[in-house]
Amino acid sequence: MVEENNPVNTVLERIRTEVRPLADGRVADYIPELAHADPNIFGIAAISAHGRRYVAGDVEGPFSVQSISKPFVYAIAVEEHGFDTVHDHVGAEPSGQPFNAISLDEHGRPANPMINAGAIVTTSLIKGEDRFERIRSMLSACAGRELSVNEDVYRSEAEAGHGNRALGHLCLAGGALVGPVEEAVQDYFRQCAVEVTVTDLAVMAATLASGGVNPVTGKRVLNRRTARHTLSIMAGCGMYDRAGEWGLRVGIPAKSGVSGGILAAAPGAFGIGVFSPPLDHAGNSVRGVAALERLSEDYDLHMLQLPTEPPSPLHSVSCHGGSLGVHLRGEIDFLAAEQVVSRLAAAVEDARITSVVVELERVSGFSDAARALLAAELTDLADAGIEATVSDPRGVQGAN
Ligand code: GLN
């Protein structure tokens, strides 16, 4: 659903108008097919964590996803092999070098899975003859529609991509890459040639930002922990040798591609896609970087932006006779549970209180850490002779 006249679209449109005159940067041409891109195309799309869509500018035209496939291929490898095994083959450090650098650490591993060498390795880790189909179908599930390969872009890179072949061979020599180099490189070229729109990028980003559930289709595509690992890697390494500056100025886990797209996933808030082909020296879209800088500022999307006052988990506290009722609300994480526990512990000091009821009707979710903390406090209350019960009519405590 596109939200037509509303304040979010107006902000996106204003940002687009401000950023549009930037005329720096060059369209990538080392993959000959990419050189045909129109440098004036510029679109922004955002999908909220609730699945609502906001757009400005050119958002329908397709382009090849290029390196923006890398976080998703990493995610598949993590789900298939587990985090530790994947990182036996590829590091997690920003390389401080361009995306196509010969980057191998002292263990023979590429610095991270967001640069070409690392992505060729993570591709090689994905098992089975249908490897590319699994990658395509994961990208599609994250976008919420079936995506396909632009064969011209694929062929163009397959013919010109000898640097990537060389990286594959170096990774094989160092022991990081598994299996035949040419097969891994071919599947890497194909994944880079998958066609998307800027709206697709926003939905894919929103899937990562929503803990692995595509907020438009409502389907779980990745498990929560994989989504978190992927966002962490993007936060540290997604913008190549601009990762540090990006963290300072924008602070949204992101990934860029040489066709001019940037995917940015603001955890719990928005998935954002921007597309404008001219690139800066690091290979990031000039207008894309500028637009995300403004968007992060205007909507407080920096991941380290803290609320002035964390929301209180206490909806109300009542005391009738000797019974204390503590009504909680919202999301109970460790910090919220710590506040609740300290309120409950005070009951032990109050000789009038003989029972405690913790009421969860207004609670939307419980983290494992919060659950453990509350359970420990209920045991302490029982040990102190106070009858402690939890009223959980919606079963939020068991759900995750
Ligand atoms: N297919 C491109 C390459 O390997 C992807 C690079 C990128 O988008 N940064 O060179």
Side-chain angles (χ1 to χ4, degrees), residues 95-128:
S95 64
Q97 289 180 311
F99 63 85
N100 53 3
I102 301 171
S103 146
L104 297 173
D105 68 13
E106 67 276 20
H107 308 292
R109 303 174 311 174
N112 68 67
M114 301 293 107
I115 53 174
N116 292 6
I120 295 168
V121 165
T122 47
T123 302
S124 82
L125 291 178
I126 299 172
K127 289 181 272 196

PDB file of all heavy atoms in Angstrom, residues 95-128:
ATOM      1  N   SER A  95      37.425  -3.533   6.032  1.00  0.00           N
ATOM      2  CA  SER A  95      38.724  -3.731   5.379  1.00  0.00           C
ATOM      3  C   SER A  95      39.481  -2.413   5.258  1.00  0.00           C
ATOM      4  O   SER A  95      40.694  -2.405   5.114  1.00  0.00           O
ATOM      5  CB  SER A  95      38.528  -4.329   3.988  1.00  0.00           C
ATOM      6  OG  SER A  95      37.822  -3.414   3.187  1.00  0.00           O
ATOM      7  N   GLY A  96      38.753  -1.285   5.284  1.00  0.00           N
ATOM      8  CA  GLY A  96      39.415  -0.002   5.039  1.00  0.00           C
ATOM      9  C   GLY A  96      39.947   0.097   3.619  1.00  0.00           C
ATOM     10  O   GLY A  96      40.793   0.928   3.314  1.00  0.00           O
ATOM     11  N   GLN A  97      39.425  -0.786   2.765  1.00  0.00           N
ATOM     12  CA  GLN A  97      39.908  -0.815   1.373  1.00  0.00           C
ATOM     13  C   GLN A  97      38.714  -0.857   0.428  1.00  0.00           C
ATOM     14  O   GLN A  97      37.596  -1.153   0.851  1.00  0.00           O
ATOM     15  CB  GLN A  97      40.740  -2.082   1.155  1.00  0.00           C
ATOM     16  CG  GLN A  97      42.077  -2.043   1.860  1.00  0.00           C
ATOM     17  CD  GLN A  97      42.857  -3.320   1.613  1.00  0.00           C
ATOM     18  OE1 GLN A  97      42.317  -4.417   1.776  1.00  0.00           O
ATOM     19  NE2 GLN A  97      44.097  -3.174   1.216  1.00  0.00           N
ATOM     20  N   PRO A  98      38.947  -0.613  -0.867  1.00  0.00           N
ATOM     21  CA  PRO A  98      37.836  -0.665  -1.820  1.00  0.00           C
ATOM     22  C   PRO A  98      37.198  -2.059  -1.894  1.00  0.00           C
ATOM     23  O   PRO A  98      37.802  -3.057  -1.483  1.00  0.00           O
ATOM     24  CB  PRO A  98      38.497  -0.314  -3.149  1.00  0.00           C
ATOM     25  CG  PRO A  98      39.748   0.384  -2.796  1.00  0.00           C
ATOM     26  CD  PRO A  98      40.200  -0.182  -1.487  1.00  0.00           C
ATOM     27  N   PHE A  99      35.986  -2.091  -2.499  1.00  0.00           N
ATOM     28  CA  PHE A  99      35.213  -3.345  -2.521  1.00  0.00           C
ATOM     29  C   PHE A  99      35.892  -4.472  -3.281  1.00  0.00           C
ATOM     30  O   PHE A  99      35.671  -5.632  -3.014  1.00  0.00           O
ATOM     31  CB  PHE A  99      33.809  -3.091  -3.094  1.00  0.00           C
ATOM     32  CG  PHE A  99      33.792  -2.629  -4.523  1.00  0.00           C
ATOM     33  CD1 PHE A  99      33.834  -3.544  -5.562  1.00  0.00           C
ATOM     34  CD2 PHE A  99      33.721  -1.273  -4.837  1.00  0.00           C
ATOM     35  CE1 PHE A  99      33.795  -3.118  -6.880  1.00  0.00           C
ATOM     36  CE2 PHE A  99      33.689  -0.836  -6.143  1.00  0.00           C
ATOM     37  CZ  PHE A  99      33.734  -1.759  -7.175  1.00  0.00           C
ATOM     38  N   ASN A 100      36.774  -4.098  -4.251  1.00  0.00           N
ATOM     39  CA  ASN A 100      37.385  -5.156  -5.064  1.00  0.00           C
ATOM     40  C   ASN A 100      38.825  -5.453  -4.625  1.00  0.00           C
ATOM     41  O   ASN A 100      39.589  -6.057  -5.352  1.00  0.00           O
ATOM     42  CB  ASN A 100      37.344  -4.766  -6.541  1.00  0.00           C
ATOM     43  CG  ASN A 100      37.948  -3.388  -6.781  1.00  0.00           C
ATOM     44  OD1 ASN A 100      38.438  -2.763  -5.832  1.00  0.00           O
ATOM     45  ND2 ASN A 100      37.920  -2.934  -8.015  1.00  0.00           N
ATOM     46  N   ALA A 101      39.185  -5.014  -3.401  1.00  0.00           N
ATOM     47  CA  ALA A 101      40.573  -5.178  -2.938  1.00  0.00           C
ATOM     48  C   ALA A 101      40.943  -6.649  -2.745  1.00  0.00           C
ATOM     49  O   ALA A 101      40.082  -7.492  -2.483  1.00  0.00           O
ATOM     50  CB  ALA A 101      40.748  -4.437  -1.612  1.00  0.00           C
ATOM     51  N   ILE A 102      42.241  -6.907  -2.864  1.00  0.00           N
ATOM     52  CA  ILE A 102      42.766  -8.236  -2.514  1.00  0.00           C
ATOM     53  C   ILE A 102      42.919  -8.211  -1.003  1.00  0.00           C
ATOM     54  O   ILE A 102      43.920  -7.753  -0.472  1.00  0.00           O
ATOM     55  CB  ILE A 102      44.122  -8.488  -3.190  1.00  0.00           C
ATOM     56  CG1 ILE A 102      43.953  -8.372  -4.703  1.00  0.00           C
ATOM     57  CG2 ILE A 102      44.682  -9.855  -2.802  1.00  0.00           C
ATOM     58  CD1 ILE A 102      45.256  -8.389  -5.453  1.00  0.00           C
ATOM     59  N   SER A 103      41.892  -8.687  -0.331  1.00  0.00           N
ATOM     60  CA  SER A 103      41.868  -8.523   1.111  1.00  0.00           C
ATOM     61  C   SER A 103      41.896  -9.906   1.762  1.00  0.00           C
ATOM     62  O   SER A 103      40.915 -10.636   1.704  1.00  0.00           O
ATOM     63  CB  SER A 103      40.572  -7.791   1.475  1.00  0.00           C
ATOM     64  OG  SER A 103      40.088  -8.219   2.705  1.00  0.00           O
ATOM     65  N   LEU A 104      43.016 -10.260   2.317  1.00  0.00           N
ATOM     66  CA  LEU A 104      43.108 -11.555   3.004  1.00  0.00           C
ATOM     67  C   LEU A 104      43.843 -11.330   4.312  1.00  0.00           C
ATOM     68  O   LEU A 104      44.908 -10.713   4.328  1.00  0.00           O
ATOM     69  CB  LEU A 104      43.871 -12.567   2.140  1.00  0.00           C
ATOM     70  CG  LEU A 104      43.229 -12.919   0.792  1.00  0.00           C
ATOM     71  CD1 LEU A 104      44.161 -13.799  -0.038  1.00  0.00           C
ATOM     72  CD2 LEU A 104      41.896 -13.637   0.981  1.00  0.00           C
ATOM     73  N   ASP A 105      43.258 -11.820   5.413  1.00  0.00           N
ATOM     74  CA  ASP A 105      43.918 -11.617   6.707  1.00  0.00           C
ATOM     75  C   ASP A 105      44.962 -12.707   6.966  1.00  0.00           C
ATOM     76  O   ASP A 105      45.238 -13.536   6.089  1.00  0.00           O
ATOM     77  CB  ASP A 105      42.875 -11.496   7.835  1.00  0.00           C
ATOM     78  CG  ASP A 105      42.138 -12.805   8.094  1.00  0.00           C
ATOM     79  OD1 ASP A 105      42.578 -13.866   7.584  1.00  0.00           O
ATOM     80  OD2 ASP A 105      41.125 -12.773   8.814  1.00  0.00           O
ATOM     81  N   GLU A 106      45.509 -12.723   8.185  1.00  0.00           N
ATOM     82  CA  GLU A 106      46.613 -13.664   8.453  1.00  0.00           C
ATOM     83  C   GLU A 106      46.163 -15.130   8.417  1.00  0.00           C
ATOM     84  O   GLU A 106      46.977 -16.032   8.329  1.00  0.00           O
ATOM     85  CB  GLU A 106      47.306 -13.317   9.780  1.00  0.00           C
ATOM     86  CG  GLU A 106      46.493 -13.513  11.045  1.00  0.00           C
ATOM     87  CD  GLU A 106      45.577 -12.338  11.386  1.00  0.00           C
ATOM     88  OE1 GLU A 106      45.252 -11.523  10.496  1.00  0.00           O
ATOM     89  OE2 GLU A 106      45.156 -12.236  12.544  1.00  0.00           O
ATOM     90  N   HIS A 107      44.815 -15.359   8.451  1.00  0.00           N
ATOM     91  CA  HIS A 107      44.322 -16.737   8.330  1.00  0.00           C
ATOM     92  C   HIS A 107      43.921 -17.076   6.891  1.00  0.00           C
ATOM     93  O   HIS A 107      43.305 -18.112   6.646  1.00  0.00           O
ATOM     94  CB  HIS A 107      43.092 -16.950   9.224  1.00  0.00           C
ATOM     95  CG  HIS A 107      43.308 -16.523  10.640  1.00  0.00           C
ATOM     96  ND1 HIS A 107      44.159 -17.183  11.487  1.00  0.00           N
ATOM     97  CD2 HIS A 107      42.784 -15.488  11.350  1.00  0.00           C
ATOM     98  CE1 HIS A 107      44.152 -16.565  12.665  1.00  0.00           C
ATOM     99  NE2 HIS A 107      43.337 -15.544  12.610  1.00  0.00           N
ATOM    100  N   GLY A 108      44.211 -16.163   5.963  1.00  0.00           N
ATOM    101  CA  GLY A 108      43.844 -16.410   4.569  1.00  0.00           C
ATOM    102  C   GLY A 108      42.380 -16.110   4.290  1.00  0.00           C
ATOM    103  O   GLY A 108      41.851 -16.477   3.239  1.00  0.00           O
ATOM    104  N   ARG A 109      41.702 -15.424   5.231  1.00  0.00           N
ATOM    105  CA  ARG A 109      40.284 -15.118   5.030  1.00  0.00           C
ATOM    106  C   ARG A 109      40.119 -13.684   4.509  1.00  0.00           C
ATOM    107  O   ARG A 109      40.821 -12.777   4.969  1.00  0.00           O
ATOM    108  CB  ARG A 109      39.519 -15.178   6.370  1.00  0.00           C
ATOM    109  CG  ARG A 109      39.609 -16.465   7.117  1.00  0.00           C
ATOM    110  CD  ARG A 109      38.924 -16.326   8.482  1.00  0.00           C
ATOM    111  NE  ARG A 109      39.371 -15.118   9.197  1.00  0.00           N
ATOM    112  CZ  ARG A 109      38.862 -14.687  10.343  1.00  0.00           C
ATOM    113  NH1 ARG A 109      37.864 -15.348  10.901  1.00  0.00           N
ATOM    114  NH2 ARG A 109      39.329 -13.599  10.936  1.00  0.00           N
ATOM    115  N   PRO A 110      39.119 -13.472   3.617  1.00  0.00           N
ATOM    116  CA  PRO A 110      38.793 -12.081   3.274  1.00  0.00           C
ATOM    117  C   PRO A 110      38.355 -11.338   4.526  1.00  0.00           C
ATOM    118  O   PRO A 110      37.806 -11.947   5.458  1.00  0.00           O
ATOM    119  CB  PRO A 110      37.631 -12.213   2.294  1.00  0.00           C
ATOM    120  CG  PRO A 110      37.679 -13.618   1.799  1.00  0.00           C
ATOM    121  CD  PRO A 110      38.292 -14.442   2.887  1.00  0.00           C
ATOM    122  N   ALA A 111      38.570 -10.008   4.553  1.00  0.00           N
ATOM    123  CA  ALA A 111      38.284  -9.233   5.765  1.00  0.00           C
ATOM    124  C   ALA A 111      36.837  -9.349   6.220  1.00  0.00           C
ATOM    125  O   ALA A 111      36.561  -9.417   7.420  1.00  0.00           O
ATOM    126  CB  ALA A 111      38.627  -7.763   5.534  1.00  0.00           C
ATOM    127  N   ASN A 112      35.896  -9.380   5.275  1.00  0.00           N
ATOM    128  CA  ASN A 112      34.480  -9.440   5.660  1.00  0.00           C
ATOM    129  C   ASN A 112      33.648  -9.871   4.459  1.00  0.00           C
ATOM    130  O   ASN A 112      34.132  -9.850   3.323  1.00  0.00           O
ATOM    131  CB  ASN A 112      34.028  -8.070   6.219  1.00  0.00           C
ATOM    132  CG  ASN A 112      34.004  -7.000   5.146  1.00  0.00           C
ATOM    133  OD1 ASN A 112      33.200  -7.055   4.228  1.00  0.00           O
ATOM    134  ND2 ASN A 112      34.924  -6.036   5.222  1.00  0.00           N
ATOM    135  N   PRO A 113      32.380 -10.257   4.696  1.00  0.00           N
ATOM    136  CA  PRO A 113      31.572 -10.774   3.579  1.00  0.00           C
ATOM    137  C   PRO A 113      30.899  -9.704   2.733  1.00  0.00           C
ATOM    138  O   PRO A 113      30.120 -10.026   1.840  1.00  0.00           O
ATOM    139  CB  PRO A 113      30.510 -11.640   4.291  1.00  0.00           C
ATOM    140  CG  PRO A 113      30.464 -11.161   5.692  1.00  0.00           C
ATOM    141  CD  PRO A 113      31.728 -10.442   6.012  1.00  0.00           C
ATOM    142  N   MET A 114      31.177  -8.414   2.992  1.00  0.00           N
ATOM    143  CA  MET A 114      30.535  -7.331   2.236  1.00  0.00           C
ATOM    144  C   MET A 114      31.402  -6.847   1.079  1.00  0.00           C
ATOM    145  O   MET A 114      30.986  -6.017   0.287  1.00  0.00           O
ATOM    146  CB  MET A 114      30.199  -6.147   3.155  1.00  0.00           C
ATOM    147  CG  MET A 114      29.278  -6.476   4.308  1.00  0.00           C
ATOM    148  SD  MET A 114      27.595  -6.915   3.820  1.00  0.00           S
ATOM    149  CE  MET A 114      27.607  -8.681   4.117  1.00  0.00           C
ATOM    150  N   ILE A 115      32.650  -7.326   1.003  1.00  0.00           N
ATOM    151  CA  ILE A 115      33.502  -6.985  -0.138  1.00  0.00           C
ATOM    152  C   ILE A 115      33.508  -8.183  -1.091  1.00  0.00           C
ATOM    153  O   ILE A 115      33.118  -9.291  -0.706  1.00  0.00           O
ATOM    154  CB  ILE A 115      34.942  -6.639   0.309  1.00  0.00           C
ATOM    155  CG1 ILE A 115      35.515  -7.765   1.194  1.00  0.00           C
ATOM    156  CG2 ILE A 115      34.968  -5.316   1.059  1.00  0.00           C
ATOM    157  CD1 ILE A 115      36.981  -7.570   1.543  1.00  0.00           C
ATOM    158  N   ASN A 116      33.975  -7.956  -2.312  1.00  0.00           N
ATOM    159  CA  ASN A 116      33.854  -9.010  -3.322  1.00  0.00           C
ATOM    160  C   ASN A 116      34.474 -10.331  -2.885  1.00  0.00           C
ATOM    161  O   ASN A 116      33.848 -11.388  -2.987  1.00  0.00           O
ATOM    162  CB  ASN A 116      34.504  -8.561  -4.629  1.00  0.00           C
ATOM    163  CG  ASN A 116      33.740  -7.427  -5.277  1.00  0.00           C
ATOM    164  OD1 ASN A 116      32.791  -6.899  -4.700  1.00  0.00           O
ATOM    165  ND2 ASN A 116      34.163  -7.020  -6.459  1.00  0.00           N
ATOM    166  N   ALA A 117      35.723 -10.278  -2.379  1.00  0.00           N
ATOM    167  CA  ALA A 117      36.404 -11.528  -2.017  1.00  0.00           C
ATOM    168  C   ALA A 117      35.574 -12.292  -0.980  1.00  0.00           C
ATOM    169  O   ALA A 117      35.372 -13.515  -1.097  1.00  0.00           O
ATOM    170  CB  ALA A 117      37.794 -11.222  -1.465  1.00  0.00           C
ATOM    171  N   GLY A 118      35.060 -11.572   0.003  1.00  0.00           N
ATOM    172  CA  GLY A 118      34.271 -12.224   1.058  1.00  0.00           C
ATOM    173  C   GLY A 118      32.971 -12.791   0.539  1.00  0.00           C
ATOM    174  O   GLY A 118      32.533 -13.869   0.957  1.00  0.00           O
ATOM    175  N   ALA A 119      32.339 -12.083  -0.399  1.00  0.00           N
ATOM    176  CA  ALA A 119      31.057 -12.564  -0.924  1.00  0.00           C
ATOM    177  C   ALA A 119      31.255 -13.766  -1.837  1.00  0.00           C
ATOM    178  O   ALA A 119      30.391 -14.658  -1.895  1.00  0.00           O
ATOM    179  CB  ALA A 119      30.356 -11.443  -1.674  1.00  0.00           C
ATOM    180  N   ILE A 120      32.381 -13.820  -2.541  1.00  0.00           N
ATOM    181  CA  ILE A 120      32.644 -15.007  -3.374  1.00  0.00           C
ATOM    182  C   ILE A 120      32.837 -16.210  -2.451  1.00  0.00           C
ATOM    183  O   ILE A 120      32.362 -17.316  -2.729  1.00  0.00           O
ATOM    184  CB  ILE A 120      33.858 -14.750  -4.308  1.00  0.00           C
ATOM    185  CG1 ILE A 120      33.506 -13.626  -5.295  1.00  0.00           C
ATOM    186  CG2 ILE A 120      34.264 -16.018  -5.047  1.00  0.00           C
ATOM    187  CD1 ILE A 120      34.680 -13.062  -6.077  1.00  0.00           C
ATOM    188  N   VAL A 121      33.474 -15.985  -1.314  1.00  0.00           N
ATOM    189  CA  VAL A 121      33.658 -17.076  -0.336  1.00  0.00           C
ATOM    190  C   VAL A 121      32.306 -17.496   0.262  1.00  0.00           C
ATOM    191  O   VAL A 121      31.992 -18.691   0.317  1.00  0.00           O
ATOM    192  CB  VAL A 121      34.639 -16.646   0.780  1.00  0.00           C
ATOM    193  CG1 VAL A 121      34.566 -17.595   1.971  1.00  0.00           C
ATOM    194  CG2 VAL A 121      36.063 -16.608   0.236  1.00  0.00           C
ATOM    195  N   THR A 122      31.479 -16.543   0.695  1.00  0.00           N
ATOM    196  CA  THR A 122      30.191 -16.958   1.294  1.00  0.00           C
ATOM    197  C   THR A 122      29.327 -17.665   0.244  1.00  0.00           C
ATOM    198  O   THR A 122      28.631 -18.627   0.559  1.00  0.00           O
ATOM    199  CB  THR A 122      29.411 -15.776   1.917  1.00  0.00           C
ATOM    200  OG1 THR A 122      29.394 -14.693   1.011  1.00  0.00           O
ATOM    201  CG2 THR A 122      30.010 -15.336   3.230  1.00  0.00           C
ATOM    202  N   THR A 123      29.418 -17.221  -1.010  1.00  0.00           N
ATOM    203  CA  THR A 123      28.680 -17.918  -2.072  1.00  0.00           C
ATOM    204  C   THR A 123      29.150 -19.367  -2.150  1.00  0.00           C
ATOM    205  O   THR A 123      28.344 -20.296  -2.227  1.00  0.00           O
ATOM    206  CB  THR A 123      28.898 -17.211  -3.434  1.00  0.00           C
ATOM    207  OG1 THR A 123      28.482 -15.863  -3.312  1.00  0.00           O
ATOM    208  CG2 THR A 123      28.107 -17.894  -4.546  1.00  0.00           C
ATOM    209  N   SER A 124      30.473 -19.548  -2.096  1.00  0.00           N
ATOM    210  CA  SER A 124      31.019 -20.914  -2.240  1.00  0.00           C
ATOM    211  C   SER A 124      30.589 -21.818  -1.091  1.00  0.00           C
ATOM    212  O   SER A 124      30.536 -23.030  -1.226  1.00  0.00           O
ATOM    213  CB  SER A 124      32.549 -20.878  -2.330  1.00  0.00           C
ATOM    214  OG  SER A 124      33.145 -20.793  -1.040  1.00  0.00           O
ATOM    215  N   LEU A 125      30.264 -21.212   0.063  1.00  0.00           N
ATOM    216  CA  LEU A 125      29.888 -22.026   1.222  1.00  0.00           C
ATOM    217  C   LEU A 125      28.471 -22.598   1.085  1.00  0.00           C
ATOM    218  O   LEU A 125      28.133 -23.595   1.727  1.00  0.00           O
ATOM    219  CB  LEU A 125      29.932 -21.172   2.508  1.00  0.00           C
ATOM    220  CG  LEU A 125      31.301 -20.718   2.995  1.00  0.00           C
ATOM    221  CD1 LEU A 125      31.159 -19.843   4.238  1.00  0.00           C
ATOM    222  CD2 LEU A 125      32.190 -21.915   3.299  1.00  0.00           C
ATOM    223  N   ILE A 126      27.638 -21.936   0.287  1.00  0.00           N
ATOM    224  CA  ILE A 126      26.243 -22.403   0.170  1.00  0.00           C
ATOM    225  C   ILE A 126      26.235 -23.705  -0.627  1.00  0.00           C
ATOM    226  O   ILE A 126      26.804 -23.782  -1.712  1.00  0.00           O
ATOM    227  CB  ILE A 126      25.370 -21.307  -0.479  1.00  0.00           C
ATOM    228  CG1 ILE A 126      25.393 -20.060   0.422  1.00  0.00           C
ATOM    229  CG2 ILE A 126      23.945 -21.798  -0.685  1.00  0.00           C
ATOM    230  CD1 ILE A 126      24.729 -18.844  -0.169  1.00  0.00           C
ATOM    231  N   LYS A 127      25.577 -24.725  -0.042  1.00  0.00           N
ATOM    232  CA  LYS A 127      25.711 -26.072  -0.592  1.00  0.00           C
ATOM    233  C   LYS A 127      24.677 -26.344  -1.692  1.00  0.00           C
ATOM    234  O   LYS A 127      23.663 -25.684  -1.768  1.00  0.00           O
ATOM    235  CB  LYS A 127      25.505 -27.097   0.534  1.00  0.00           C
ATOM    236  CG  LYS A 127      26.652 -27.120   1.528  1.00  0.00           C
ATOM    237  CD  LYS A 127      26.406 -28.159   2.611  1.00  0.00           C
ATOM    238  CE  LYS A 127      25.621 -27.563   3.727  1.00  0.00           C
ATOM    239  NZ  LYS A 127      25.532 -28.160   4.981  1.00  0.00           N
ATOM    240  N   GLY A 128      24.947 -27.360  -2.483  1.00  0.00           N
ATOM    241  CA  GLY A 128      23.933 -27.891  -3.378  1.00  0.00           C
ATOM    242  C   GLY A 128      23.991 -27.342  -4.786  1.00  0.00           C
ATOM    243  O   GLY A 128      24.493 -26.251  -5.035  1.00  0.00           O
TER     244      GLY A 128
END
